[in-house]
Amino acid sequence: MKNTIRVERAKLEISQQELAEKVEVSRQTIHSIERGKKTPSVELAIRMARYFKIPVEELFIIE
Amino acid sequence: MKNTIRVERAKLEISQQELAEKVEVSRQTIHSIERGKKTPSVELAIRMARYFKIPVEELFIIE
DNA sequence: TCATTATGTAAATAATAGTTTACATTTGGT
DNA sequence: ACCAAATGTAAACTATTATTTACATAATGA
């Protein structure tokens, strides 16, 4: 599974740290999800997608 | 977080067992997610939503 | 160069998701 | 009432996510 977190962050010009604060997880959590090392819960995924104002399916793509 | 799995299952008239097979997890996993005891990974959530042909955000609702 | 901010890596731990098995209860049909 | 299928509950176990801390390495600007 891949994701577009990095691109979405770039659009808004926010750091992993800032995103982490916005969705209320640690920076490491954002980091490992962004790098595809971990898969978030649907709850966290929804919070992230909601923050970026895009559908979950656009932020996380199953290949 | 609540979900509409039961309603979606009802629409298609399929059992927890059948859904479990479709998305390739155990019936217990479906059961505990449906009852809100566990939160699925975004990957499983996407598989379920895809199967029901609805957005993830419609299947899982953060209150 | 120096300081600062952002990102990468790693490792130990806690918390939670998902599996498996087994049995109880409910529901619907005959 | 009986049978079968569906659903509920539970417990032990494994796998994975998320936290925390710490340090290394870019990258950027003063």
Side-chain angles (χ1 to χ4, degrees), chain A residues 30-45:
Chain A
I30 297 297
H31 181 258
S32 48
I33 292 170
E34 181 170 308
R35 297 227 108 208
K37 301 208 170 187
K38 296 196 176 160
T39 305
S41 65
V42 68
E43 184 162 349
L44 177 51

PDB file of all heavy atoms in Angstrom, chain A residues 30-45:
ATOM      1  N   ILE A  30       3.689   9.494  12.088  1.00  0.00           N
ATOM      2  CA  ILE A  30       3.561  10.089  10.757  1.00  0.00           C
ATOM      3  C   ILE A  30       4.706   9.616   9.860  1.00  0.00           C
ATOM      4  O   ILE A  30       4.488   9.186   8.734  1.00  0.00           O
ATOM      5  CB  ILE A  30       3.581  11.634  10.837  1.00  0.00           C
ATOM      6  CG1 ILE A  30       2.378  12.149  11.635  1.00  0.00           C
ATOM      7  CG2 ILE A  30       3.612  12.247   9.430  1.00  0.00           C
ATOM      8  CD1 ILE A  30       1.034  11.848  11.027  1.00  0.00           C
ATOM      9  N   HIS A  31       5.883   9.707  10.406  1.00  0.00           N
ATOM     10  CA  HIS A  31       7.064   9.318   9.639  1.00  0.00           C
ATOM     11  C   HIS A  31       6.982   7.899   9.089  1.00  0.00           C
ATOM     12  O   HIS A  31       7.185   7.667   7.895  1.00  0.00           O
ATOM     13  CB  HIS A  31       8.315   9.474  10.500  1.00  0.00           C
ATOM     14  CG  HIS A  31       9.580   9.122   9.783  1.00  0.00           C
ATOM     15  ND1 HIS A  31      10.223   7.925   9.983  1.00  0.00           N
ATOM     16  CD2 HIS A  31      10.282   9.790   8.853  1.00  0.00           C
ATOM     17  CE1 HIS A  31      11.302   7.887   9.211  1.00  0.00           C
ATOM     18  NE2 HIS A  31      11.365   9.002   8.517  1.00  0.00           N
ATOM     19  N   SER A  32       6.660   6.936   9.967  1.00  0.00           N
ATOM     20  CA  SER A  32       6.660   5.541   9.502  1.00  0.00           C
ATOM     21  C   SER A  32       5.470   5.224   8.595  1.00  0.00           C
ATOM     22  O   SER A  32       5.575   4.369   7.721  1.00  0.00           O
ATOM     23  CB  SER A  32       6.755   4.567  10.679  1.00  0.00           C
ATOM     24  OG  SER A  32       5.849   4.889  11.673  1.00  0.00           O
ATOM     25  N   ILE A  33       4.392   5.946   8.773  1.00  0.00           N
ATOM     26  CA  ILE A  33       3.253   5.758   7.858  1.00  0.00           C
ATOM     27  C   ILE A  33       3.614   6.340   6.495  1.00  0.00           C
ATOM     28  O   ILE A  33       3.429   5.712   5.457  1.00  0.00           O
ATOM     29  CB  ILE A  33       1.976   6.418   8.408  1.00  0.00           C
ATOM     30  CG1 ILE A  33       1.486   5.690   9.658  1.00  0.00           C
ATOM     31  CG2 ILE A  33       0.885   6.456   7.338  1.00  0.00           C
ATOM     32  CD1 ILE A  33       0.382   6.390  10.402  1.00  0.00           C
ATOM     33  N   GLU A  34       4.149   7.560   6.526  1.00  0.00           N
ATOM     34  CA  GLU A  34       4.521   8.233   5.277  1.00  0.00           C
ATOM     35  C   GLU A  34       5.507   7.394   4.468  1.00  0.00           C
ATOM     36  O   GLU A  34       5.409   7.313   3.248  1.00  0.00           O
ATOM     37  CB  GLU A  34       5.116   9.602   5.609  1.00  0.00           C
ATOM     38  CG  GLU A  34       5.504  10.398   4.394  1.00  0.00           C
ATOM     39  CD  GLU A  34       5.872  11.849   4.738  1.00  0.00           C
ATOM     40  OE1 GLU A  34       5.084  12.531   5.419  1.00  0.00           O
ATOM     41  OE2 GLU A  34       6.958  12.297   4.334  1.00  0.00           O
ATOM     42  N   ARG A  35       6.439   6.751   5.165  1.00  0.00           N
ATOM     43  CA  ARG A  35       7.439   5.932   4.499  1.00  0.00           C
ATOM     44  C   ARG A  35       6.930   4.532   4.140  1.00  0.00           C
ATOM     45  O   ARG A  35       7.657   3.712   3.610  1.00  0.00           O
ATOM     46  CB  ARG A  35       8.674   5.797   5.392  1.00  0.00           C
ATOM     47  CG  ARG A  35       9.356   7.120   5.651  1.00  0.00           C
ATOM     48  CD  ARG A  35      10.834   7.016   5.449  1.00  0.00           C
ATOM     49  NE  ARG A  35      11.292   7.681   4.253  1.00  0.00           N
ATOM     50  CZ  ARG A  35      12.384   7.316   3.579  1.00  0.00           C
ATOM     51  NH1 ARG A  35      13.066   6.266   3.955  1.00  0.00           N
ATOM     52  NH2 ARG A  35      12.761   7.977   2.517  1.00  0.00           N
ATOM     53  N   GLY A  36       5.677   4.272   4.482  1.00  0.00           N
ATOM     54  CA  GLY A  36       5.080   2.984   4.146  1.00  0.00           C
ATOM     55  C   GLY A  36       5.530   1.834   5.022  1.00  0.00           C
ATOM     56  O   GLY A  36       5.310   0.678   4.690  1.00  0.00           O
ATOM     57  N   LYS A  37       6.118   2.161   6.165  1.00  0.00           N
ATOM     58  CA  LYS A  37       6.567   1.093   7.061  1.00  0.00           C
ATOM     59  C   LYS A  37       5.416   0.594   7.917  1.00  0.00           C
ATOM     60  O   LYS A  37       5.451  -0.519   8.414  1.00  0.00           O
ATOM     61  CB  LYS A  37       7.714   1.592   7.944  1.00  0.00           C
ATOM     62  CG  LYS A  37       8.915   2.068   7.134  1.00  0.00           C
ATOM     63  CD  LYS A  37      10.222   1.914   7.896  1.00  0.00           C
ATOM     64  CE  LYS A  37      11.392   2.160   6.970  1.00  0.00           C
ATOM     65  NZ  LYS A  37      12.705   1.880   7.576  1.00  0.00           N
ATOM     66  N   LYS A  38       4.444   1.451   8.093  1.00  0.00           N
ATOM     67  CA  LYS A  38       3.285   1.043   8.876  1.00  0.00           C
ATOM     68  C   LYS A  38       1.983   1.491   8.228  1.00  0.00           C
ATOM     69  O   LYS A  38       1.959   2.460   7.472  1.00  0.00           O
ATOM     70  CB  LYS A  38       3.397   1.594  10.294  1.00  0.00           C
ATOM     71  CG  LYS A  38       4.590   1.004  10.986  1.00  0.00           C
ATOM     72  CD  LYS A  38       4.580   1.163  12.459  1.00  0.00           C
ATOM     73  CE  LYS A  38       5.778   0.443  13.053  1.00  0.00           C
ATOM     74  NZ  LYS A  38       6.110   0.917  14.390  1.00  0.00           N
ATOM     75  N   THR A  39       0.931   0.769   8.547  1.00  0.00           N
ATOM     76  CA  THR A  39      -0.397   1.066   8.023  1.00  0.00           C
ATOM     77  C   THR A  39      -1.233   1.640   9.164  1.00  0.00           C
ATOM     78  O   THR A  39      -1.364   0.994  10.198  1.00  0.00           O
ATOM     79  CB  THR A  39      -1.055  -0.228   7.537  1.00  0.00           C
ATOM     80  OG1 THR A  39      -0.188  -0.853   6.594  1.00  0.00           O
ATOM     81  CG2 THR A  39      -2.393   0.044   6.907  1.00  0.00           C
ATOM     82  N   PRO A  40      -1.802   2.817   8.979  1.00  0.00           N
ATOM     83  CA  PRO A  40      -2.567   3.398  10.086  1.00  0.00           C
ATOM     84  C   PRO A  40      -3.913   2.711  10.281  1.00  0.00           C
ATOM     85  O   PRO A  40      -4.378   1.995   9.403  1.00  0.00           O
ATOM     86  CB  PRO A  40      -2.774   4.837   9.637  1.00  0.00           C
ATOM     87  CG  PRO A  40      -2.756   4.774   8.161  1.00  0.00           C
ATOM     88  CD  PRO A  40      -1.792   3.686   7.812  1.00  0.00           C
ATOM     89  N   SER A  41      -4.528   2.986  11.400  1.00  0.00           N
ATOM     90  CA  SER A  41      -5.899   2.550  11.629  1.00  0.00           C
ATOM     91  C   SER A  41      -6.784   3.392  10.721  1.00  0.00           C
ATOM     92  O   SER A  41      -6.392   4.466  10.271  1.00  0.00           O
ATOM     93  CB  SER A  41      -6.285   2.791  13.077  1.00  0.00           C
ATOM     94  OG  SER A  41      -6.297   4.180  13.351  1.00  0.00           O
ATOM     95  N   VAL A  42      -7.986   2.905  10.443  1.00  0.00           N
ATOM     96  CA  VAL A  42      -8.895   3.674   9.588  1.00  0.00           C
ATOM     97  C   VAL A  42      -9.254   4.997  10.259  1.00  0.00           C
ATOM     98  O   VAL A  42      -9.483   6.008   9.591  1.00  0.00           O
ATOM     99  CB  VAL A  42     -10.169   2.870   9.221  1.00  0.00           C
ATOM    100  CG1 VAL A  42     -11.051   2.651  10.427  1.00  0.00           C
ATOM    101  CG2 VAL A  42     -10.939   3.568   8.110  1.00  0.00           C
ATOM    102  N   GLU A  43      -9.242   4.991  11.571  1.00  0.00           N
ATOM    103  CA  GLU A  43      -9.555   6.216  12.306  1.00  0.00           C
ATOM    104  C   GLU A  43      -8.512   7.303  12.054  1.00  0.00           C
ATOM    105  O   GLU A  43      -8.846   8.439  11.703  1.00  0.00           O
ATOM    106  CB  GLU A  43      -9.656   5.914  13.805  1.00  0.00           C
ATOM    107  CG  GLU A  43     -10.068   7.117  14.613  1.00  0.00           C
ATOM    108  CD  GLU A  43     -10.592   6.752  15.989  1.00  0.00           C
ATOM    109  OE1 GLU A  43     -10.839   5.548  16.247  1.00  0.00           O
ATOM    110  OE2 GLU A  43     -10.759   7.670  16.810  1.00  0.00           O
ATOM    111  N   LEU A  44      -7.262   6.944  12.197  1.00  0.00           N
ATOM    112  CA  LEU A  44      -6.196   7.902  11.928  1.00  0.00           C
ATOM    113  C   LEU A  44      -6.191   8.300  10.455  1.00  0.00           C
ATOM    114  O   LEU A  44      -6.007   9.476  10.117  1.00  0.00           O
ATOM    115  CB  LEU A  44      -4.846   7.306  12.341  1.00  0.00           C
ATOM    116  CG  LEU A  44      -3.602   8.144  12.060  1.00  0.00           C
ATOM    117  CD1 LEU A  44      -3.741   9.564  12.581  1.00  0.00           C
ATOM    118  CD2 LEU A  44      -2.380   7.470  12.668  1.00  0.00           C
ATOM    119  N   ALA A  45      -6.424   7.333   9.591  1.00  0.00           N
ATOM    120  CA  ALA A  45      -6.459   7.601   8.152  1.00  0.00           C
ATOM    121  C   ALA A  45      -7.535   8.626   7.829  1.00  0.00           C
ATOM    122  O   ALA A  45      -7.323   9.543   7.033  1.00  0.00           O
ATOM    123  CB  ALA A  45      -6.715   6.316   7.388  1.00  0.00           C
TER     124      ALA A  45
END
